[in-house]
Amino acid sequence: MSETPQWSSEEELHHDMANIGGRVWYCHYWEEHYSMVQLTEDRNGRFNTAYVLDRNTSPEMRREAALLAQKELAECMQKWGITLLDAPVPEQMKYDSLAEAASHLMQVLNDPEHITG
């Protein structure tokens, strides 16, 4: 867990990940509510996802936030040349591939009511 910062600004996340030899593949922070979505790679080449949607926002705001993150992540996946995996990807601490981590994150964002914090 110490290899992946869990909450900060986007700039701080990039800085912190670079300091530990990792990389930020995707992140989005909402300033208007306590929410974030991120996909990072640690120095060992393993991928991690982290996400929280503010429970104090309306269900509509959580859905909008999740849809925005999905749209942005889909654009990133297209740039990276990876496709969404068809089979469900279980939640894990670390993923072996960028495709697995991104697919898990997309699947989680399909159900924003269950990712509140």
mmCIF file of all heavy atoms in Angstrom, residues 33-62:
data_model
loop_
_atom_site.group_PDB
_atom_site.id
_atom_site.type_symbol
_atom_site.label_atom_id
_atom_site.label_comp_id
_atom_site.label_asym_id
_atom_site.label_seq_id
_atom_site.Cartn_x
_atom_site.Cartn_y
_atom_site.Cartn_z
ATOM 1 N N HIS A 33 -16.058 17.848 -5.088
ATOM 2 C CA HIS A 33 -16.427 16.845 -4.092
ATOM 3 C C HIS A 33 -15.247 15.909 -3.872
ATOM 4 O O HIS A 33 -14.329 15.848 -4.663
ATOM 5 C CB HIS A 33 -17.708 16.077 -4.468
ATOM 6 C CG HIS A 33 -17.741 15.526 -5.856
ATOM 7 N ND1 HIS A 33 -17.234 14.289 -6.188
ATOM 8 C CD2 HIS A 33 -18.254 16.036 -6.997
ATOM 9 C CE1 HIS A 33 -17.430 14.066 -7.471
ATOM 10 N NE2 HIS A 33 -18.042 15.109 -7.991
ATOM 11 N N TYR A 34 -15.252 15.213 -2.756
ATOM 12 C CA TYR A 34 -14.146 14.359 -2.325
ATOM 13 C C TYR A 34 -14.197 13.035 -3.096
ATOM 14 O O TYR A 34 -14.691 12.033 -2.607
ATOM 15 C CB TYR A 34 -14.262 14.123 -0.822
ATOM 16 C CG TYR A 34 -13.103 13.381 -0.206
ATOM 17 C CD1 TYR A 34 -11.896 14.019 0.009
ATOM 18 C CD2 TYR A 34 -13.225 12.056 0.162
ATOM 19 C CE1 TYR A 34 -10.828 13.338 0.582
ATOM 20 C CE2 TYR A 34 -12.164 11.374 0.736
ATOM 21 C CZ TYR A 34 -10.969 12.016 0.932
ATOM 22 O OH TYR A 34 -9.909 11.341 1.497
ATOM 23 N N SER A 35 -13.706 13.090 -4.335
ATOM 24 C CA SER A 35 -13.743 11.910 -5.191
ATOM 25 C C SER A 35 -12.467 11.842 -6.021
ATOM 26 O O SER A 35 -11.880 12.863 -6.367
ATOM 27 C CB SER A 35 -14.952 11.970 -6.130
ATOM 28 O OG SER A 35 -16.157 12.035 -5.415
ATOM 29 N N MET A 36 -12.062 10.630 -6.339
ATOM 30 C CA MET A 36 -10.895 10.436 -7.192
ATOM 31 C C MET A 36 -10.932 9.037 -7.794
ATOM 32 O O MET A 36 -11.554 8.119 -7.264
ATOM 33 C CB MET A 36 -9.597 10.653 -6.419
ATOM 34 C CG MET A 36 -9.329 9.707 -5.306
ATOM 35 S SD MET A 36 -8.541 8.177 -5.865
ATOM 36 C CE MET A 36 -8.170 7.423 -4.303
ATOM 37 N N VAL A 37 -10.266 8.925 -8.934
ATOM 38 C CA VAL A 37 -10.077 7.647 -9.615
ATOM 39 C C VAL A 37 -8.640 7.667 -10.126
ATOM 40 O O VAL A 37 -8.207 8.662 -10.708
ATOM 41 C CB VAL A 37 -11.055 7.482 -10.809
ATOM 42 C CG1 VAL A 37 -10.792 6.199 -11.555
ATOM 43 C CG2 VAL A 37 -12.495 7.550 -10.334
ATOM 44 N N GLN A 38 -7.900 6.589 -9.891
ATOM 45 C CA GLN A 38 -6.524 6.560 -10.383
ATOM 46 C C GLN A 38 -6.088 5.137 -10.737
ATOM 47 O O GLN A 38 -6.570 4.169 -10.175
ATOM 48 C CB GLN A 38 -5.564 7.184 -9.384
ATOM 49 C CG GLN A 38 -5.453 6.460 -8.065
ATOM 50 C CD GLN A 38 -4.642 7.229 -7.038
ATOM 51 O OE1 GLN A 38 -4.751 8.444 -6.940
ATOM 52 N NE2 GLN A 38 -3.847 6.540 -6.259
ATOM 53 N N LEU A 39 -5.181 5.077 -11.701
ATOM 54 C CA LEU A 39 -4.569 3.825 -12.122
ATOM 55 C C LEU A 39 -3.073 4.096 -12.193
ATOM 56 O O LEU A 39 -2.639 5.006 -12.898
ATOM 57 C CB LEU A 39 -5.110 3.407 -13.494
ATOM 58 C CG LEU A 39 -4.711 2.021 -13.979
ATOM 59 C CD1 LEU A 39 -5.773 1.500 -14.934
ATOM 60 C CD2 LEU A 39 -3.379 2.000 -14.656
ATOM 61 N N THR A 40 -2.306 3.359 -11.414
ATOM 62 C CA THR A 40 -0.867 3.589 -11.326
ATOM 63 C C THR A 40 -0.097 2.287 -11.540
ATOM 64 O O THR A 40 -0.656 1.200 -11.437
ATOM 65 C CB THR A 40 -0.486 4.176 -9.946
ATOM 66 O OG1 THR A 40 -0.919 3.272 -8.921
ATOM 67 C CG2 THR A 40 -1.119 5.539 -9.733
ATOM 68 N N GLU A 41 1.186 2.450 -11.822
ATOM 69 C CA GLU A 41 2.099 1.312 -11.975
ATOM 70 C C GLU A 41 3.227 1.499 -10.974
ATOM 71 O O GLU A 41 3.829 2.572 -10.898
ATOM 72 C CB GLU A 41 2.658 1.285 -13.393
ATOM 73 C CG GLU A 41 3.603 0.137 -13.663
ATOM 74 C CD GLU A 41 4.125 0.140 -15.100
ATOM 75 O OE1 GLU A 41 3.829 1.083 -15.856
ATOM 76 O OE2 GLU A 41 4.845 -0.810 -15.449
ATOM 77 N N ASP A 42 3.514 0.446 -10.204
ATOM 78 C CA ASP A 42 4.596 0.573 -9.231
ATOM 79 C C ASP A 42 5.943 0.288 -9.881
ATOM 80 O O ASP A 42 6.032 -0.042 -11.064
ATOM 81 C CB ASP A 42 4.336 -0.313 -7.997
ATOM 82 C CG ASP A 42 4.408 -1.803 -8.266
ATOM 83 O OD1 ASP A 42 5.028 -2.242 -9.278
ATOM 84 O OD2 ASP A 42 3.853 -2.568 -7.463
ATOM 85 N N ARG A 43 7.003 0.410 -9.127
ATOM 86 C CA ARG A 43 8.356 0.245 -9.669
ATOM 87 C C ARG A 43 8.644 -1.184 -10.121
ATOM 88 O O ARG A 43 9.608 -1.440 -10.829
ATOM 89 C CB ARG A 43 9.388 0.696 -8.644
ATOM 90 C CG ARG A 43 9.449 -0.169 -7.406
ATOM 91 C CD ARG A 43 10.578 0.273 -6.474
ATOM 92 N NE ARG A 43 10.440 -0.344 -5.182
ATOM 93 C CZ ARG A 43 10.062 0.288 -4.088
ATOM 94 N NH1 ARG A 43 9.814 1.584 -4.136
ATOM 95 N NH2 ARG A 43 9.952 -0.345 -2.950
ATOM 96 N N ASN A 44 7.785 -2.126 -9.718
ATOM 97 C CA ASN A 44 7.957 -3.523 -10.116
ATOM 98 C C ASN A 44 7.128 -3.898 -11.333
ATOM 99 O O ASN A 44 7.070 -5.065 -11.707
ATOM 100 C CB ASN A 44 7.592 -4.443 -8.948
ATOM 101 C CG ASN A 44 8.470 -4.193 -7.754
ATOM 102 O OD1 ASN A 44 9.695 -4.109 -7.884
ATOM 103 N ND2 ASN A 44 7.869 -4.036 -6.594
ATOM 104 N N GLY A 45 6.461 -2.903 -11.936
ATOM 105 C CA GLY A 45 5.659 -3.171 -13.123
ATOM 106 C C GLY A 45 4.284 -3.743 -12.844
ATOM 107 O O GLY A 45 3.632 -4.254 -13.746
ATOM 108 N N ARG A 46 3.832 -3.644 -11.593
ATOM 109 C CA ARG A 46 2.485 -4.097 -11.226
ATOM 110 C C ARG A 46 1.560 -2.892 -11.196
ATOM 111 O O ARG A 46 1.972 -1.799 -10.848
ATOM 112 C CB ARG A 46 2.494 -4.783 -9.860
ATOM 113 C CG ARG A 46 3.480 -5.935 -9.698
ATOM 114 C CD ARG A 46 3.116 -7.269 -10.321
ATOM 115 N NE ARG A 46 1.782 -7.758 -10.119
ATOM 116 C CZ ARG A 46 1.381 -8.546 -9.132
ATOM 117 N NH1 ARG A 46 2.214 -8.916 -8.190
ATOM 118 N NH2 ARG A 46 0.137 -8.960 -9.083
ATOM 119 N N PHE A 47 0.309 -3.117 -11.543
ATOM 120 C CA PHE A 47 -0.662 -2.038 -11.672
ATOM 121 C C PHE A 47 -1.637 -2.049 -10.509
ATOM 122 O O PHE A 47 -1.989 -3.098 -9.985
ATOM 123 C CB PHE A 47 -1.406 -2.180 -13.003
ATOM 124 C CG PHE A 47 -0.492 -2.070 -14.186
ATOM 125 C CD1 PHE A 47 0.136 -3.191 -14.696
ATOM 126 C CD2 PHE A 47 -0.226 -0.840 -14.761
ATOM 127 C CE1 PHE A 47 1.011 -3.104 -15.773
ATOM 128 C CE2 PHE A 47 0.646 -0.734 -15.836
ATOM 129 C CZ PHE A 47 1.262 -1.864 -16.339
ATOM 130 N N ASN A 48 -2.083 -0.847 -10.116
ATOM 131 C CA ASN A 48 -2.992 -0.694 -8.992
ATOM 132 C C ASN A 48 -4.083 0.302 -9.362
ATOM 133 O O ASN A 48 -3.835 1.281 -10.062
ATOM 134 C CB ASN A 48 -2.216 -0.163 -7.784
ATOM 135 C CG ASN A 48 -3.072 -0.089 -6.550
ATOM 136 O OD1 ASN A 48 -3.555 -1.084 -6.050
ATOM 137 N ND2 ASN A 48 -3.286 1.119 -6.076
ATOM 138 N N THR A 49 -5.289 0.052 -8.874
ATOM 139 C CA THR A 49 -6.382 1.002 -9.042
ATOM 140 C C THR A 49 -6.802 1.513 -7.671
ATOM 141 O O THR A 49 -6.721 0.784 -6.690
ATOM 142 C CB THR A 49 -7.596 0.343 -9.734
ATOM 143 O OG1 THR A 49 -8.077 -0.732 -8.933
ATOM 144 C CG2 THR A 49 -7.240 -0.154 -11.127
ATOM 145 N N ALA A 50 -7.240 2.742 -7.629
ATOM 146 C CA ALA A 50 -7.778 3.333 -6.405
ATOM 147 C C ALA A 50 -8.910 4.254 -6.815
ATOM 148 O O ALA A 50 -8.836 4.923 -7.842
ATOM 149 C CB ALA A 50 -6.694 4.094 -5.651
ATOM 150 N N TYR A 51 -9.960 4.274 -5.999
ATOM 151 C CA TYR A 51 -11.121 5.085 -6.354
ATOM 152 C C TYR A 51 -11.972 5.328 -5.123
ATOM 153 O O TYR A 51 -12.024 4.523 -4.207
ATOM 154 C CB TYR A 51 -11.967 4.390 -7.421
ATOM 155 C CG TYR A 51 -12.080 2.901 -7.203
ATOM 156 C CD1 TYR A 51 -13.032 2.363 -6.340
ATOM 157 C CD2 TYR A 51 -11.202 2.024 -7.833
ATOM 158 C CE1 TYR A 51 -13.108 1.002 -6.121
ATOM 159 C CE2 TYR A 51 -11.276 0.657 -7.614
ATOM 160 C CZ TYR A 51 -12.234 0.153 -6.758
ATOM 161 O OH TYR A 51 -12.308 -1.203 -6.537
ATOM 162 N N VAL A 52 -12.615 6.484 -5.119
ATOM 163 C CA VAL A 52 -13.608 6.819 -4.100
ATOM 164 C C VAL A 52 -14.523 7.868 -4.710
ATOM 165 O O VAL A 52 -14.071 8.776 -5.394
ATOM 166 C CB VAL A 52 -12.967 7.324 -2.787
ATOM 167 C CG1 VAL A 52 -12.231 8.621 -2.980
ATOM 168 C CG2 VAL A 52 -13.993 7.461 -1.695
ATOM 169 N N LEU A 53 -15.810 7.683 -4.517
ATOM 170 C CA LEU A 53 -16.792 8.691 -4.896
ATOM 171 C C LEU A 53 -17.467 9.148 -3.616
ATOM 172 O O LEU A 53 -17.942 8.334 -2.829
ATOM 173 C CB LEU A 53 -17.815 8.138 -5.893
ATOM 174 C CG LEU A 53 -17.253 7.729 -7.255
ATOM 175 C CD1 LEU A 53 -18.355 7.149 -8.137
ATOM 176 C CD2 LEU A 53 -16.585 8.897 -7.959
ATOM 177 N N ASP A 54 -17.501 10.423 -3.418
ATOM 178 C CA ASP A 54 -17.989 11.026 -2.181
ATOM 179 C C ASP A 54 -19.422 10.601 -1.856
ATOM 180 O O ASP A 54 -20.331 10.804 -2.648
ATOM 181 C CB ASP A 54 -17.910 12.544 -2.328
ATOM 182 C CG ASP A 54 -18.158 13.293 -1.045
ATOM 183 O OD1 ASP A 54 -18.633 12.692 -0.069
ATOM 184 O OD2 ASP A 54 -17.859 14.503 -1.028
ATOM 185 N N ARG A 55 -19.605 10.027 -0.673
ATOM 186 C CA ARG A 55 -20.942 9.578 -0.265
ATOM 187 C C ARG A 55 -21.864 10.746 0.045
ATOM 188 O O ARG A 55 -23.070 10.566 0.135
ATOM 189 C CB ARG A 55 -20.846 8.627 0.916
ATOM 190 C CG ARG A 55 -20.545 9.321 2.221
ATOM 191 C CD ARG A 55 -20.599 8.379 3.392
ATOM 192 N NE ARG A 55 -19.267 8.306 3.963
ATOM 193 C CZ ARG A 55 -18.815 7.297 4.647
ATOM 194 N NH1 ARG A 55 -19.573 6.267 4.882
ATOM 195 N NH2 ARG A 55 -17.599 7.305 5.127
ATOM 196 N N ASN A 56 -21.301 11.935 0.223
ATOM 197 C CA ASN A 56 -22.118 13.107 0.523
ATOM 198 C C ASN A 56 -22.661 13.792 -0.723
ATOM 199 O O ASN A 56 -23.317 14.822 -0.615
ATOM 200 C CB ASN A 56 -21.329 14.108 1.366
ATOM 201 C CG ASN A 56 -21.014 13.539 2.737
ATOM 202 O OD1 ASN A 56 -21.833 12.851 3.332
ATOM 203 N ND2 ASN A 56 -19.817 13.794 3.212
ATOM 204 N N THR A 57 -22.374 13.239 -1.892
ATOM 205 C CA THR A 57 -22.943 13.781 -3.126
ATOM 206 C C THR A 57 -24.186 12.982 -3.480
ATOM 207 O O THR A 57 -24.406 11.879 -2.971
ATOM 208 C CB THR A 57 -21.941 13.700 -4.295
ATOM 209 O OG1 THR A 57 -21.596 12.337 -4.510
ATOM 210 C CG2 THR A 57 -20.698 14.524 -4.020
ATOM 211 N N SER A 58 -24.967 13.521 -4.367
ATOM 212 C CA SER A 58 -26.197 12.842 -4.787
ATOM 213 C C SER A 58 -25.849 11.640 -5.668
ATOM 214 O O SER A 58 -24.766 11.586 -6.264
ATOM 215 C CB SER A 58 -27.086 13.805 -5.564
ATOM 216 O OG SER A 58 -26.481 14.118 -6.812
ATOM 217 N N PRO A 59 -26.762 10.684 -5.764
ATOM 218 C CA PRO A 59 -26.538 9.548 -6.667
ATOM 219 C C PRO A 59 -26.283 10.010 -8.108
ATOM 220 O O PRO A 59 -25.470 9.417 -8.813
ATOM 221 C CB PRO A 59 -27.829 8.740 -6.561
ATOM 222 C CG PRO A 59 -28.376 9.082 -5.219
ATOM 223 C CD PRO A 59 -28.003 10.524 -4.998
ATOM 224 N N GLU A 60 -26.956 11.070 -8.514
ATOM 225 C CA GLU A 60 -26.757 11.596 -9.866
ATOM 226 C C GLU A 60 -25.333 12.108 -10.054
ATOM 227 O O GLU A 60 -24.711 11.869 -11.091
ATOM 228 C CB GLU A 60 -27.758 12.726 -10.168
ATOM 229 C CG GLU A 60 -29.200 12.276 -10.248
ATOM 230 C CD GLU A 60 -29.859 12.070 -8.878
ATOM 231 O OE1 GLU A 60 -29.390 12.646 -7.855
ATOM 232 O OE2 GLU A 60 -30.834 11.292 -8.820
ATOM 233 N N MET A 61 -24.809 12.807 -9.038
ATOM 234 C CA MET A 61 -23.428 13.308 -9.128
ATOM 235 C C MET A 61 -22.428 12.157 -9.180
ATOM 236 O O MET A 61 -21.438 12.227 -9.908
ATOM 237 C CB MET A 61 -23.102 14.232 -7.954
ATOM 238 C CG MET A 61 -23.712 15.607 -8.080
ATOM 239 S SD MET A 61 -23.150 16.709 -6.754
ATOM 240 C CE MET A 61 -21.545 17.171 -7.391
ATOM 241 N N ARG A 62 -22.680 11.095 -8.405
ATOM 242 C CA ARG A 62 -21.785 9.932 -8.441
ATOM 243 C C ARG A 62 -21.825 9.272 -9.815
ATOM 244 O O ARG A 62 -20.788 8.889 -10.352
ATOM 245 C CB ARG A 62 -22.144 8.941 -7.338
ATOM 246 C CG ARG A 62 -21.700 9.419 -5.961
ATOM 247 C CD ARG A 62 -21.792 8.338 -4.911
ATOM 248 N NE ARG A 62 -23.149 7.907 -4.628
ATOM 249 C CZ ARG A 62 -24.000 8.522 -3.821
ATOM 250 N NH1 ARG A 62 -23.631 9.621 -3.208
ATOM 251 N NH2 ARG A 62 -25.201 8.046 -3.621
#
